[in-house]
Amino acid sequence: MKMSPKPKRMVLAGNPNVGKSVLFSQLTGARVVISNYPGTTVEFTRGKLQAKGQAWEVLDAPGTYSLEPTCRAEEVAANLVNSADVVVNVIDATNLERNLYLTSQLLERGVPLVIVLNLIDEAAQKGVKLNVPRLQELLGVPVIPTVAISGRGLPELVAALPKAGRGRGEARSPDERWIWIGSVVKQVQRVTRRRRTWLEALELASIQPLTGIPIAALGLYLVFKVIIGCGQWLEGLLENYFFEPFYLPLLQSLSRFLGDGSFWHGLLIGNLPGGQIHLEESMGLLSTGIYAVFGIVLPYLVMFYLVLGFLEDCGYLPRLAVMSDRMMHRLGLHGFAVIPTLLGFGCNVPAVLAARNLESRRERLIVSAMLAVAVPCAAQMSMIIGLVGRRGGAYLGVIIAMLFLIWVAIGLFLDRVLPGYTPSMIVEIPPYRWPSLKAQAQKLGMRLQHFLTEALPFIFGGILLINLLHLVGVIDLLAGAFAPVFRSLLGLPKEAVSTLLVGFLRKDVAVAMLIPLGLTAKQFVVGATVLATYFPCAAAFAVLVKELGVKDMAFVAGIMLTVSTAAGTALNLLLDTVLPAPMLALFLLGLAVVLIAFCGGSSDRRESRKFTLTKERRV
Amino acid sequence: MKTVSLAEMKTGQSGRVKKIYGGRGMVARLQALGLYPGKEVTKLSAFFQKGPVVVEIDRSRVAMGYGRASRIFVEVGE
């Protein structure tokens, strides 16, 4: 078959959370992250499609309600539409009225258009009946009903691409658009009221304060329990059925073959504390390097991403945004900011990108700073849970409480010093949907693959770097220079300086490097907290500079260094000497709550002053 | 008939949007979500202490902060 030489460009456009990315992944076979909340896609994704001798370049645009953009993600979408040979406008069939607003704008622009009526099965379930031929007649462009997740209607869509029609091209005012939409909807839609299903009852219960807050609290507790409990179980399985019986003996024979003291032995196996290979302490590429990634980090990472994937796809996250809106307002943000924060517990890189869904630069700066300083990524958190957890849950509690306190304090501080105020949120609440197993598995696979390809080179690089620096003597030089700070303020031995260097590359490895230092539980808590907060890893740093700009990032970096020194010093002074670990954890948590309750909301007060003025004008 | 803001409206109550006070950006965003003068809305939930408000328009649900809800005025029956 002869291929057309130049691929044509197809742009998938539509409201947030209508299934554009599902359609994209079905059309192109490319794998993209899809979820059930508005704003999963913030940057466009490119894929390829071959159909009937025509090559297509398919672009998956971020969701937008309108071509007059209100945030950066929507800007991307509006620009893409102008560059398209064909725009495929994906519409949520359960919600025709609202979706047709964007359609009316696309018709006005006169771009070649095909309309996909997605979620047609869910519409039928909800008692929404649509007259597709009539809708096609009224809009003047092909309308294809689909169920993207199962692939229904996709061959018809591909066949309809050459028949893409142009709209009439007359500009309308927003009011005229809604009048037109009203008349279209009246002619094509019949809605029959049905009895409420239990899932719909749960939808309502989870946004009411009386039932929603207990649901959120129970949910959060379960999330913690499942991740830590199942993570430990997986970790034990790997330890007992792989590392102990197979991997360690393998390393031991390699160690004998290479001979202790040789260069390669030092690099691959590391040193032998007590004459034995110690998977956690030897610090060789194959010993600690492999064990840290697969033995400690991976079990928790898998559990975290499984739980996150479920939360994303079932549609709970926007409800969590509603639940936490009040608290986030006191920190100069609004509820939607919990979504980037939650993503940050996976990896800070996609989290900082997800902050693009927030409207103002001010909010993006606040949430990025809070993320970068106080939200440890899953790899680092796994390491901390794996290593500190065994010295008693209370020590783990101290670290978590301290990070929460820092998170709150940074929000309060920035809200106070940054001019302007945070507008309140407007977010659509999607219906609950059962996550598709296939989509879940695909998403988990993508995230793990991303972790392994991104992490392994950096982990090996970090271990390599530290071995080399040791050889050259740089570490001793730095350790000597910073020793007074480390010993007096943080109570850490000077060798801990080297972990800060590695932390620039990988935080998880840096935490692992604390093990061979023979620290007490208290020193471990101080070290882990300082490592979590002092600076982002290289990957997160790069994306922060890109999103915030050099100047703001320098400001954030200043906050980081101050905060991490202060937090480390405070822990060094208080933990075990003044208060035992469980009491200190409760104290820090209490302090954070008091700060939120009594010191928060400074920008909100500025906003309400402004509103009082407009009200007077109104009367 | 009386006019109240979405923030003052009772949970479960329905009404017709009368006027939205706000900047161009906010009005455009609400409009794109289907919330504009003349539209029927039902309040689904409200949080104490100036918390967010959730409303239903057609078959979609929109949550908004208290600040925005108090600038959207709705005509409700007595």
Side-chain angles (χ1 to χ4, degrees):
Chain A
M1 199 189 288
K2 205 171 154 284
M3 290 287 167
S4 136
K6 205 165 151 277
K8 286 189 174 179
R9 176 176 275 197
M10 174 202 312
V11 171
L12 302 178
N15 287 182
N17 213 37
V18 295
K20 290 179 296 301
S21 298
V22 182
L23 191 67
F24 174 80
S25 119
Q26 292 276 18
L27 283 175
T28 63
R31 302 186 304 164
V32 284
V33 171
I34 49 181
S35 312
N36 182 15
Y37 63 85
T40 309
T41 311
V42 287
E43 188 63 87
F44 63 86
T45 327
R46 203 184 295 262
K48 282 192 175 62
L49 167 71
Q50 294 289 349
K52 302 206 163 78
Q54 173 65 51
W56 291 92
E57 179 195 36
V58 187
L59 299 180
D60 178 24
T64 180
Y65 294 108
S66 146
L67 291 178
E68 293 133 21
T70 54
C71 72
R72 266 189 68 184
E74 292 189 348
E75 254 171 62
V76 175
N79 291 336
L80 278 185
V81 162
N82 295 329
S83 71
D85 292 312
V86 173
V87 174
V88 173
N89 177 204
V90 186
I91 286 184
D92 174 357
T94 65
N95 215 323
L96 195 61
E97 293 94 329
R98 200 208 55 218
N99 280 258
L100 281 179
Y101 189 78
L102 180 68
T103 309
S104 72
Q105 289 181 321
L106 287 168
L107 287 170
E108 284 167 35
R109 290 227 178 160
V111 291
L113 201 62
V114 174
I115 287 173
V116 163
L117 213 48
N118 197 24
L119 300 166
I120 197 82
D121 56 336
E122 201 175 296
Q125 268 171 36
K126 290 196 167 170
V128 179
K129 254 192 88 156
L130 296 171
N131 182 346
V132 179
R134 181 77 185 125
L135 184 62
Q136 183 160 314
E137 203 178 298
L138 286 170
L139 301 180
V141 297
V143 177
I144 316 293
T146 64
V147 182
I149 198 90
S150 69
R152 210 176 99 195
L154 297 192
E156 290 83 346
L157 167 62
V158 172
L161 287 174
K163 288 179 247 158
R166 278 172 199 277
R168 286 169 299 280
E170 53 189 276
R172 292 196 187 93
S173 75
D175 290 342
E176 288 166 350
R177 280 180 202 138
W178 284 113
I179 292 168
W180 173 77
I181 290 167
S183 80
V184 170
V185 169
K186 209 172 203 174
Q187 296 180 60
V188 302
Q189 181 177 271
R190 290 282 166 275
V191 182
T192 41
R193 266 256 171 248
R194 285 164 43 265
R195 220 158 44 86
R196 194 174 273 168
T197 65
W198 67 270
L199 205 61
E200 280 161 351
L202 190 64
E203 274 175 14
L204 264 182
S206 59
I207 48 170
Q208 305 285 354
L210 278 182
T211 41
I213 291 172
I215 291 177
L218 182 73
L220 222 57
Y221 172 78
L222 282 178
V223 163
F224 261 100
K225 262 308 208 222
V226 167
I227 293 173
I228 296 187
C230 296
Q232 275 168 344
W233 173 73
L234 266 181
E235 192 187 350
L237 277 188
L238 276 172
E239 177 83 42
N240 294 333
Y241 293 98
F242 176 70
F243 283 106
E244 283 294 328
F246 296 110
Y247 196 67
L248 197 57
L250 193 76
L251 279 188
Q252 278 158 348
S253 26
L254 184 67
S255 165
R256 276 191 297 277
F257 172 73
L258 292 172
D260 190 11
S262 73
F263 173 77
W264 286 107
H265 187 279
L267 197 63
L268 296 177
I269 308 286
N271 36 42
L272 306 175
Q276 284 291 323
I277 296 179
H278 197 295
L279 286 177
E280 283 176 4
E281 295 182 19
S282 291
M283 290 320 288
L285 284 182
L286 295 179
S287 55
T288 308
I290 293 288
Y291 183 71
V293 177
F294 295 96
I296 305 179
V297 171
L298 209 58
Y300 296 98
L301 202 73
V302 168
M303 286 322 299
F304 174 82
Y305 278 136
L306 270 179
V307 171
L308 182 70
F310 177 79
L311 284 179
E312 283 179 334
D313 287 13
C314 74
Y316 185 68
L317 293 185
R319 290 169 171 83
L320 190 64
V322 173
M323 291 297 134
S324 56
D325 186 56
R326 200 61 218 113
M327 181 184 89
M328 299 303 259
H329 257 284
R330 303 201 66 83
L331 305 177
L333 294 168
H334 59 57
F336 200 80
V338 294
I339 294 180
T341 307
L342 219 62
L343 292 178
F345 281 105
C347 172
N348 279 351
V349 174
V352 171
L353 290 176
R356 283 187 185 171
N357 282 309
L358 302 170
E359 301 95 294
S360 72
R361 198 181 154 68
R362 181 178 193 272
E363 286 166 273
R364 287 198 292 270
L365 176 59
I366 297 179
V367 86
S368 304
M370 286 163 82
L371 267 171
V373 185
V375 177
C377 69
Q380 189 187 359
M381 200 61 197
S382 320
M383 212 52 147
I384 296 176
I385 294 172
L387 301 179
V388 182
R390 69 182 66 151
R391 296 170 194 236
Y395 287 105
L396 193 58
V398 171
I399 296 180
I400 292 171
M402 192 59 175
L403 290 176
F404 182 60
L405 177 63
I406 293 172
W407 185 76
V408 167
I410 288 175
L412 292 175
F413 169 71
L414 288 178
D415 184 34
R416 196 154 288 221
V417 298
L418 292 176
Y421 59 89
T422 296
S424 41
M425 69 169 173
I426 301 180
V427 61
E428 199 190 342
I429 310 282
Y432 281 140
R433 294 185 179 125
W434 285 111
S436 127
L437 266 180
K438 191 181 146 210
Q440 285 277 296
Q442 192 178 321
K443 188 147 75 171
L444 179 68
M446 265 175 69
R447 283 171 162 163
L448 290 182
Q449 190 194 352
H450 178 84
F451 167 74
L452 289 177
T453 50
E454 292 282 299
L456 277 182
F458 276 105
I459 287 174
F460 287 163
I463 292 179
L464 203 65
L465 175 80
I466 219 67
N467 282 321
L468 287 178
L469 289 180
H470 251 304
L471 276 177
V472 188
V474 178
I475 298 267
D476 289 331
L477 207 72
L478 281 173
F482 286 101
V485 183
F486 264 65
R487 203 168 306 136
S488 58
L489 290 180
L490 306 176
L492 292 176
K494 62 178 174 145
E495 289 81 10
V497 174
S498 60
T499 64
L500 292 185
L501 278 179
V502 172
F504 287 119
L505 288 176
R506 284 295 298 182
K507 296 283 192 90
D508 43 4
V509 181
V511 176
M513 284 176 59
L514 292 172
I515 308 169
L517 301 181
L519 304 180
T520 62
K522 170 183 176 157
Q523 286 174 314
F524 215 109
V525 168
V526 175
T529 310
V530 170
L531 276 178
T533 53
Y534 81 106
F535 209 74
C537 71
F541 180 73
V543 74
L544 279 166
V545 170
K546 194 172 138 241
E547 294 292 305
L548 298 182
V550 177
K551 221 180 95 195
D552 282 350
M553 186 54 215
F555 175 58
V556 174
I559 296 179
M560 288 169 169
L561 293 174
T562 321
V563 160
S564 109
T565 318
T569 311
L571 284 176
N572 181 34
L573 286 176
L574 298 176
L575 182 58
D576 287 343
T577 47
V578 179
L579 283 172
M583 301 297 287
L584 185 62
L586 282 178
F587 170 74
L588 293 172
L589 217 56
L591 190 61
V593 172
V594 169
L595 279 176
I596 293 176
F598 294 102
C599 303
S602 37
S603 67
D604 258 15
R605 283 193 289 278
R606 286 203 287 273
E607 186 192 10
S608 64
R609 270 204 292 279
K610 195 182 158 186
F611 179 50
T612 325
L613 287 179
T614 41
K615 208 171 187 176
E616 275 158 12
R617 222 183 304 145
R618 180 163 63 91
V619 176
Chain B
M1 291 301 237
K2 65 174 179 180
T3 306
V4 295
S5 76
L6 275 184
E8 296 156 341
M9 203 170 157
K10 287 189 196 71
T11 301
Q13 210 172 17
S14 302
R16 199 167 286 279
V17 178
K18 203 173 165 202
K19 184 113 181 79
I20 299 174
Y21 293 89
R24 247 176 51 109
M26 171 189 166
V27 172
R29 188 164 170 80
L30 288 170
Q31 189 141 43
L33 278 164
L35 196 88
Y36 53 91
K39 197 80 190 176
E40 184 88 17
V41 294
T42 309
K43 184 164 172 177
L44 291 180
S45 124
F47 281 70
F48 40 83
Q49 277 255 309
K50 300 196 173 183
V53 169
V54 185
V55 295
E56 189 168 54
I57 318 151
D58 297 325
R59 264 165 317 286
S60 67
R61 281 152 195 182
V62 175
M64 63 185 92
Y66 187 88
R68 286 214 165 138
S70 56
R71 284 174 232 188
I72 299 171
F73 289 85
V74 181
E75 220 170 42
V76 294
E78 287 300 329

